[in-house]
Amino acid sequence: MSANASAQSQQLNSVATQDVIGQNVTSVSQLSDVRPTDWAFTALQSLVERYGCIAGYPDRTFRGKQATSRYEFAAGLNACLDKINEIISAGLADKVSKEDLATLRKLQEEFAAELATLRGRVDALDAKVTKLEAQQFSTTTKLDGQVIVTVSASGSGTDNLLTPNGTLSGNSGKANTTVISRVRLNLNTSFTGEDLLLTRLEAGNGGASVSNSLDAANNIFRGFTGFKNSSVFDYSEAGNNFTLGRLRYDFPVGKDARVTLGAVMSLNDHLDHNSFANDESVDFSTRLFINNPLILPVNDGAGAAIAWNINGGAFSVRAGYVAANANSPTSSVAAASPNGRINQGLFGDSYQGTFELEFAPKNGEDEKPFAVRLQYTRASVNNLDYNTGGLNLEWAFNKAIALFGHYGFGNISNRGTAIATALPTYINAGATGDSLSPQTWSTGFAFPDLFKEGAMAAIAVGQPLIESKVGNATQTNVELFYRFPVSSNISITPDLQFIFNPNNNSGNSTITVGTLRTVFTF
């Protein structure tokens, strides 16, 4: 049966739609349930063996005696008519015998009603396809989206920062209950079936999480998204107007490599992945547990990334580069920075380049239950130079429990100025030297499919910034959640977090944040 006739058969027969058209048969006797006593058997046998115009099914059956099989038989007959018409149109009429033409006429008369119904249904299907093509959004682009809505409440006391002379200064009071929302619309365009042009639009209600509300200090320490903003929800702060959240093009290079070029991209789409702590819509909300703050100090901007799975094996190499001010051709003075003029552009401040080596062997089920990633980042943020390393680990002991975590270490140095002058909000009074040697870590356990398939519970603890020159204590974060899938498109996640010694200050009260997160996908 030709491809068109096969599609027609599948539209006519609900049983046949469950079969996959197989190889061409060379003899009608291979179609086991067509009885030789039927007069059509000889006719079908002659046409199949002479012109090869009917395809069989993997189980070698034709279902010739079932009521619906007359329509299926008519589809095969129609295919043979098309085949012989092609032969005649090609000027090869002498290749078709008069006996075969007479057989075709007789078969047409016998199955006239089925042929008429078949062609009517095909015409209706063609009309629907034409309408769909005329009204569809795009032949190359698919739209998907995500909506996050959270209700967040907090119990907290004072929130203090160190002043340059070493005294405490801050705000007191409790954060009010808030509603935070974010909407993302992704336009996924493919031109070859293997590439992807991602255009993302996103907006929100401008909601801010607890640490934003309590700490209004300038974010001098831009690189440490996990320190000052360690309790910031990764989906907060989206403004009321739609902005361009992603504009990048991914394409394969050879068999095992993939390259990304982007005017607006984020390196955490390509680096520092973790199966249990990497996505604010399905697991942890706060930035400390989503990514290593020392490995991704800039993260967002214009740049490129490459991923190479070496020979399809256990080792993968990834690298990425972004510049946050790539659209600015001139230098500028950061309003809140004592570090003076900032050189911008594609290769200027702020920028980061990151390299990652992953080892993730597959098991017998073609899964990767264990993965370890070694990382290195070279970056510049507000004239502060970052040289940092990291480790990202995940290990699923079995289907029900997994361990995950990351560790970061390195050096942050100021160009010719004391680090205390560059970061007066955070550095202890009297601190000397022009560099820091920070560390960061987090670890936790995840429990996939807990109580329900698709659900997950997890708990994690971590310290965003360990450095004796910053504050008089070390901030510690704890977060736990349980994601419950209501359906394939809706999930609800209760989340609880505790922040001890916020901003590395023992004078700050512990912050407790309870959140109910609802996520819709479409």
Side-chain angles (χ1 to χ4, degrees), residues 164-444:
N165 63 8
T167 62
L168 297 177
S169 174
N171 303 315
S172 61
K174 294 182 65 176
N176 296 324
T177 299
T178 59
V179 175
I180 302 173
S181 65
R182 187 191 69 191
V183 177
R184 281 180 171 174
L185 300 176
N186 296 321
L187 299 173
N188 303 289
T189 303
S190 180
F191 305 101
T192 66
E194 296 182 345
D195 61 343
L196 173 65
L197 174 63
L198 173 60
T199 306
R200 173 179 292 170
L201 303 176
E202 61 184 24
N205 67 347
S209 52
V210 172
S211 68
N212 301 73
S213 304
L214 296 176
D215 186 351
N218 294 318
N219 191 4
I220 306 288
F221 227 149
R222 177 181 177 182
F224 277 101
T225 57
F227 177 52
K228 170 185 175 291
N229 291 332
S230 63
S231 60
V232 172
F233 298 147
D234 203 53
Y235 45 79
S236 65
E237 303 174 309
N240 294 321
N241 297 321
F242 272 98
T243 59
L244 187 62
R246 295 285 190 280
L247 181 59
R248 73 169 200 254
Y249 182 57
D250 305 348
F251 57 93
V253 176
K255 180 181 178 182
D256 301 320
R258 194 166 184 86
V259 172
T260 297
L261 302 174
V264 182
M265 59 182 289
S266 296
L267 287 185
N268 63 351
D269 288 344
H270 312 277
L271 299 159
D272 201 31
H273 283 182
N274 193 289
S275 300
F276 308 101
N278 196 229
D279 187 341
E280 74 279 7
S281 67
V282 297
D283 47 63
F284 293 95
S285 293
T286 51
R287 293 173 181 171
L288 170 63
F289 300 117
I290 292 175
N291 289 115
N292 189 329
L294 281 177
I295 292 301
L296 296 171
V298 178
N299 192 49
D300 302 319
I306 184 171
W308 178 30
N309 181 210
I310 303 173
N311 295 324
F315 287 95
S316 295
V317 175
R318 303 182 185 95
Y321 175 89
V322 292
N325 300 311
N327 61 339
S328 300
T330 60
S331 300
S332 69
V333 177
S337 174
N339 265 13
R341 186 166 294 278
I342 303 297
N343 186 35
Q344 301 180 107
L346 181 59
F347 301 105
D349 202 318
S350 296
Y351 77 86
Q352 93 166 66
T354 299
F355 175 85
E356 180 177 85
L357 174 64
E358 177 188 79
F359 175 68
K362 293 182 179 180
N363 60 16
E365 299 177 357
D366 204 33
E367 299 173 338
K368 297 180 178 180
F370 174 83
V372 59
R373 304 169 185 93
L374 303 177
Q375 304 157 322
Y376 171 75
T377 288
R378 177 73 173 89
S380 177
V381 181
N382 287 340
N383 286 340
L384 296 174
D385 293 326
Y386 289 66
N387 283 281
T388 57
L391 173 70
N392 182 315
L393 172 72
E394 61 180 271
W395 185 8
F397 303 122
N398 51 50
K399 301 292 185 180
I401 185 171
L403 170 71
F404 60 90
H406 65 236
Y407 172 69
F409 63 96
N411 175 269
I412 301 175
S413 60
N414 193 31
R415 298 174 192 157
T417 306
I419 197 75
T421 302
L423 302 169
T425 306
Y426 296 97
I427 303 304
N428 295 332
T432 59
D434 58 1
S435 68
L436 298 174
S437 298
Q439 298 180 69
T440 184
W441 67 271
S442 69
T443 188

